[in-house]
Amino acid sequence: MSSVQPDAFKAGMRRLAASVCLITTLNADGTRNGLTATAVCSLSASPPTLLCCLNRASNSFAAIQAAKMFAVNLLSTDDRAIAGHFATSLAGDDKFGLGVWTALKTGAPVLASAIAAFDCRLINVVETGTHGILIGEVQALELSPAGAMPLLYVDGGYGAFAPHEMLTTKAI
């Protein structure tokens, strides 16, 4: 058993800067579901596979398991309001009031302004503690034109990436 307290662990993880994504799905009844997430990464290039980690208590986790598909929408700094909207307790379709939404191969909702949208078929779920790791094989991919700044999240706030050359350095 770990001697690290959950609050200390969460405080440490909040310092890990990460891209902000919307994880979305289409329910069998035609309604949509989704949430804001930062725990997303590539798993394999062949076949193209990614993973995302979601709290198992979220209604989106159950919806994705039932639908067997999801989309990962990588947000730009222009999508900050949409990120906040999806991070609320709004239910299902109510979250989709901002932005222009389309779909690719699986039917999962894809945000038209996303820097990249990965349309995935759910191929595995690994449950660990409070969360589940959703593993998706990418069925379709849409990329926006280069140049958009990715939206990042760190220590409770949204921000953007700046190349090291643009940062002011302090003497050590």
Side-chain angles (χ1 to χ4, degrees), residues 18-156:
S19 293
V20 179
C21 300
L22 301 180
I23 312 300
T24 58
T25 195
L26 181 68
N27 300 313
D29 65 2
T31 59
R32 299 169 292 184
N33 210 311
L35 52 69
T36 304
T38 56
V40 175
C41 71
S42 64
L43 185 58
S44 174
S46 183
T49 310
L50 57 76
L51 64 82
C52 54
C53 304
L54 303 181
N55 190 316
R56 293 188 296 135
S58 76
N59 57 7
S60 294
F61 183 81
I64 291 168
Q65 281 192 297
K68 304 282 189 244
M69 48 86 156
F70 61 97
V72 174
N73 298 275
L74 178 60
L75 302 185
S76 77
T77 53
D78 293 338
D79 297 320
R80 165 60 184 91
I82 298 171
H85 193 69
F86 266 73
T88 67
S89 61
L90 287 172
D93 260 344
D94 294 339
K95 291 187 176 181
F96 294 83
L98 297 179
V100 175
W101 295 92
T102 63
L104 298 175
K105 189 173 181 180
T106 70
V110 169
L111 182 63
S113 61
I115 292 175
F118 302 88
D119 188 26
C120 301
R121 177 178 61 89
L122 182 65
I123 60 171
N124 199 8
V125 178
V126 178
E127 295 183 1
T128 301
T130 58
H131 283 62
I133 302 167
L134 303 175
I135 300 173
E137 184 176 59
V138 179
Q139 304 296 298
L141 169 65
E142 190 162 300
L143 299 172
S144 70
M149 291 291 293
L151 182 63
L152 302 179
Y153 188 80
V154 64
D155 210 13

